[in-house]
Amino acid sequence: MKYVIIGNSAGAVGCVEGIRQTDTDGGITLIASEPYHTYSRPLISYLLCGQTDEEKMKYRKASFYEDNKVDARLGVSVTKIDPAAKTVATDGGETIDYDRLFIATGSVPFIPPMSGLDTVEKKFTFMTLDSAKALDAALTPESRVLIIGAGLIGLKCAEGIHGKAGKITVVDLADRILPSILDKAGSDIMQKHIENHGIEFILSDSVKEFDGTTATLNSGAAVDFDVLVIAVGVRPATDLAKDAGLNVNRGIVTDIKCRTSDPNIYAAGDCTESLDITTGQNKIMALLPNAYMQGECAGKNMAGGDACYDKGIPMNAIGFFGLHIVSAGSYDGEEYIESDGVNYKKLVTKDGLLKGFILMGDVKRAGIYTSLIREQTPLNTIDFELVKRSPQLMAFAADSERRRKLSVKA
Amino acid sequence: MKKIYVNEEWCLGCHLCEYYCAFANSGKDNMVSALKDVKINPRIQVEEGKDICFAVNCRHCPDPICVKSCIAGALSKNSDGMIEIDTGKCVGCFTCVLVCPFGAIMPNDDGHAIQKCELCTKNGCGTPNCVAHCPNNAIVYEER
Ligand SMILES: Cc1cc2nc3c(=O)[nH]c(=O)nc-3n(C[C@H](O)[C@H](O)[C@H](O)COP(=O)(O)OP(=O)(O)OC[C@H]3O[C@@H](n4cnc5c(N)ncnc54)[C@H](O)[C@@H]3O)c2cc1C
Ligand code: SF4
Ligand code: SF4
């Protein structure tokens, strides 16, 4: 069996490890445009603030490709997939044939048309190791940095460069920060916390026009800056799949086997849409654990296995300046909220199941909540009042679930 | 692989395992200086109910969701099947805390990385200290 993998990040590594669980010698060729050993993409902000370095941020050991017998072509882009001939073409002019193909091309930064953007000399996105290095090189302790976008990537960037820049201003069209992870109450707590570290927010506003080092906003306000970071959002990298005639909506459409509309082609991660079991809808869940687990599922199936990725839910853990948020699932249902101004907890239930939660501050044992969502545990089989107060295994009936979980002897 | 198991019927809820865990991982050789006036942050935790108590620590899952979810590649399974943490790689994002179904992984004292039970393989004890000191032999270290 000949496997070709496009990508070299969480999805691709999951696929390699998934294949190798069953097929120890089938040839694997891995092709990726970035010229680096697999690295942890979310760590680029930690690299800038000195909490990691290029060696430590490797996602797998230096011997990963060798250990897994992977022919890694790094710094090479795939330009075309031909599903009929079962080949891929590279920008080096090579044509490589496959029996099973895997696509984990991830996402690319979205840059909306903004008037006068071409007059800005120092402008960056924040998605790759190269983009982080370029931004780092442009910063001085006096730099005034303007970040467009108060989502996860924009704010992680702000935290990463906090000690390296003079002033940081974040502008977002939304009326609150981190809208994809937090509700209004949670956003307010986090916003105050980040502001206490000297980062300034301008919300419900957007850039009307750039002129060199000045941004005029739609409200009429003006922000002077030296360095611009655009972090308004990401788009799934689906061009290759589309051109190959695969079924693509916003992301590449995959089933619970992580297979695309072509039976020989699998896909995972940020470039795909998959089932969110809390809503029953297919969506893009652009987060690293999903990318890895989908990739692993695809890899097992490519090697002839019968794995299912049928527990997919959005789930995210993120912290800023020591204040942590963990969240999972979806938020349509009955709410239970506890808040003391610093710690915040919200649990959402519907149809007798836990559907989603947000914990900020105290995140202890949050995985017990996540597992209730992923396993779709009927809440009438556990002591939910107990688990509501704090996540604990005591809530599971002693004679069944808990024994199984802890493999307690009868 | 040998793992730590707790027999609920015998657990007294005395929390001694938590203290012996904290001591074993303190790097100190004297229990008093290790634990006096310290708010302990043990890797094994006792849950107390009305008529039952039990201690919980990492189950060293054969299919570990913490390892698959770690954004830094800091968690891994070693050749014995034990789940290990490389604290040098860990950035303290707590994704693993978000996914561990046992609540068995927790922030370490400075909050910049996580800690979990590594069966006392990295602290000089050799065998699990909680098992060695449980007064009622409620915690065992065995193959099941
Ligand atoms: C700053 C930042 C912080 C983040 N923080 C978190 C976090 O805290 N938690 C979390 O869960 N997620 C986080 N994420 C998201 C996470 O990084 C992604 O979900 C994850 O990397 C997705 O993995 P992937 O394998 O799908 O794709 P990607 O990581 O995007 O990798 C895509 C790969 O495909 C290759 N490629 C693309 N096109 C081609 C082509 N035509 N030919 C060859 N190769 C190609 C690229 O070189 C790359 O190797 C963060 C992302 C960023 C940018
Ligand atoms: S930390 Fe949790 S998920 Fe990871 S191996 Fe231990 S019990 Fe399993
Ligand atoms: S806290 Fe550390 S070990 Fe846990 S997921 Fe984050 S980087 Fe990995």
Side-chain angles (χ1 to χ4, degrees):
Chain A
M1 186 71 82
K2 261 189 273 180
Y3 305 96
V4 171
I5 293 176
I6 311 174
N8 185 29
S9 186
V13 168
C15 182
V16 168
E17 294 179 350
I19 292 171
R20 286 297 180 236
Q21 284 171 35
T22 34
D23 182 349
T24 48
D25 15 69
I28 302 179
T29 307
L30 178 150
I31 308 166
S33 46
E34 288 183 89
Y36 299 106
H37 181 92
T38 182
Y39 67 90
S40 302
R41 187 166 314 287
L43 266 56
I44 59 175
S45 67
Y46 298 88
L47 177 69
L48 295 193
C49 68
Q51 219 187 309
T52 191
D53 58 40
E54 272 193 62
E55 192 53 38
K56 285 188 197 151
M57 74 189 280
K58 284 184 174 158
Y59 184 52
R60 287 294 183 266
K61 284 199 280 199
S63 59
F64 173 76
Y65 304 109
E66 201 186 319
D67 293 349
N68 288 289
K69 294 188 242 165
V70 173
D71 175 10
R73 315 277 182 88
L74 308 180
V76 175
S77 289
V78 172
T79 51
K80 190 174 184 305
I81 300 168
D82 184 340
K86 294 212 264 176
T87 58
V88 300
T90 71
D91 59 356
E94 224 183 327
T95 303
I96 301 169
D97 55 329
Y98 64 81
D99 298 311
R100 297 283 180 276
L101 176 66
F102 175 77
I103 307 173
T105 43
S107 36
V108 287
F110 172 59
I111 301 182
M114 287 185 280
S115 158
L117 189 58
D118 53 335
T119 66
V120 178
E121 191 199 333
K122 293 181 181 165
K123 49 178 183 264
F124 304 91
T125 54
F126 197 65
M127 289 282 291
T128 61
L129 184 52
D130 279 337
S131 65
K133 287 179 179 173
L135 171 61
D136 195 28
L139 291 174
T140 69
E142 285 76 43
S143 298
R144 295 162 302 173
V145 182
L146 172 61
I147 299 177
I148 312 289
L152 186 154
I153 295 178
L155 294 187
K156 267 291 164 195
C157 176
E159 184 189 50
I161 63 175
H162 173 250
K164 295 192 155 177
K167 182 167 188 287
I168 301 173
T169 308
V170 184
V171 173
D172 200 304
L173 190 56
D175 65 348
R176 57 179 218 251
I177 67 168
L178 298 169
S180 67
I181 322 173
L182 289 177
D183 58 4
K184 179 79 175 119
S187 295
D188 286 346
I189 298 174
M190 187 52 95
Q191 185 180 337
K192 274 201 204 84
H193 176 74
I194 298 177
E195 281 170 347
N196 288 340
H197 289 82
I199 291 169
E200 194 189 313
F201 289 100
I202 303 176
L203 300 176
S204 307
D205 208 345
S206 58
V207 176
K208 190 170 162 214
E209 188 165 35
F210 291 104
D211 183 8
T213 56
T214 304
T216 308
L217 308 183
N218 278 309
S219 62
V223 181
D224 292 324
F225 64 92
D226 308 299
V227 173
L228 175 69
V229 179
I230 300 170
V232 292
V234 301
R235 287 278 173 275
T238 56
D239 288 354
L240 282 175
K242 258 189 217 147
D243 293 347
L246 300 183
N247 190 358
V248 177
N249 289 333
R250 275 201 65 216
I252 303 171
V253 177
T254 55
D255 62 14
I256 57 168
K257 305 267 165 200
C258 298
R259 193 158 56 178
T260 69
S261 53
D262 180 312
N264 299 313
I265 306 180
Y266 292 72
D270 286 16
C271 64
T272 62
E273 283 181 11
S274 57
L275 181 68
D276 169 3
I277 60 165
T278 62
T279 61
Q281 280 160 356
N282 278 315
K283 63 158 105 149
I284 301 178
M285 293 185 274
L287 292 160
L288 191 138
N290 284 318
Y292 179 90
M293 288 190 271
Q294 291 166 344
E296 187 194 35
C297 170
K300 286 179 179 169
N301 291 332
M302 288 160 71
D306 190 23
C308 283
Y309 189 66
D310 54 2
K311 289 183 181 165
I313 58 170
M315 52 183 187
N316 189 28
I318 193 159
F320 297 99
F321 303 107
L323 179 57
H324 288 269
I325 313 166
V326 297
S327 63
S330 57
Y331 302 99
D332 174 30
E334 194 183 320
E335 296 182 355
Y336 166 81
I337 291 175
E338 280 175 26
S339 176
D340 62 6
V342 183
N343 297 298
Y344 179 74
K345 175 196 285 195
K346 168 152 135 179
L347 305 179
V348 178
T349 55
K350 194 181 176 184
D351 306 331
L353 301 174
L354 183 64
K355 289 288 184 176
F357 73 89
I358 300 172
L359 298 180
M360 194 185 306
D362 182 3
V363 302
K364 237 185 354 255
R365 307 192 81 188
I368 294 176
Y369 289 148
T370 306
S371 136
L372 290 175
I373 302 175
R374 291 184 83 238
E375 305 297 332
Q376 300 181 282
T377 308
L379 296 181
N380 61 11
T381 63
I382 64 168
D383 187 343
F384 188 56
E385 286 308 312
L386 201 61
V387 103
K388 235 164 144 175
R389 258 175 280 143
S390 66
Q392 54 193 297
L393 300 176
M394 192 65 81
F396 294 90
D399 53 351
S400 59
E401 195 55 19
R402 189 164 81 230
R403 262 177 216 288
R404 189 184 61 76
K405 276 184 188 286
L406 297 174
S407 66
V408 175
K409 260 191 192 154
Chain B
M1 145 196 196
K2 272 169 93 174
K3 291 189 195 176
I4 293 172
Y5 297 97
V6 176
N7 291 329
E8 291 187 1
E9 287 76 5
W10 295 350
C11 177
L12 305 167
C14 69
H15 295 264
L16 268 178
C17 51
E18 297 179 348
Y19 287 92
Y20 277 98
C21 174
F23 172 44
N25 293 301
S26 66
K28 302 218 168 89
D29 53 15
N30 175 304
M31 195 153 178
V32 176
S33 72
L35 303 183
K36 195 166 180 295
D37 302 325
V38 171
K39 187 174 181 301
I40 61 164
N41 181 21
R43 297 154 196 212
I44 188 165
Q45 301 165 73
V46 176
E47 287 193 22
E48 283 180 78
K50 271 201 282 310
D51 9 69
I52 198 106
C53 302
F54 55 87
V56 186
N57 61 0
C58 171
R59 303 289 82 218
H60 301 280
C61 306
D63 197 27
I65 190 169
C66 59
V67 173
K68 297 179 193 205
S69 299
C70 174
I71 66 162
L75 286 160
S76 59
K77 190 193 272 192
N78 78 4
S79 53
D80 296 331
M82 187 182 82
I83 309 305
E84 288 186 306
I85 170 71
D86 179 343
T87 49
K89 288 179 81 102
C90 172
V91 293
C93 70
F94 304 158
T95 304
C96 51
V97 178
L98 167 69
V99 298
C100 170
F102 297 93
I105 211 160
M106 66 280 297
N108 70 4
D109 285 330
D110 70 18
H112 292 309
I114 57 91
Q115 62 176 29
K116 64 181 291 302
C117 170
E118 295 179 292
L119 303 170
C120 285
T121 52
K122 292 189 181 167
N123 59 20
C125 285
T127 59
N129 211 33
C130 54
V131 176
H133 291 93
C134 174
N136 217 27
N137 294 325
I139 314 181
V140 295
Y141 184 49
E142 62 187 33
E143 203 90 41
R144 275 192 186 172

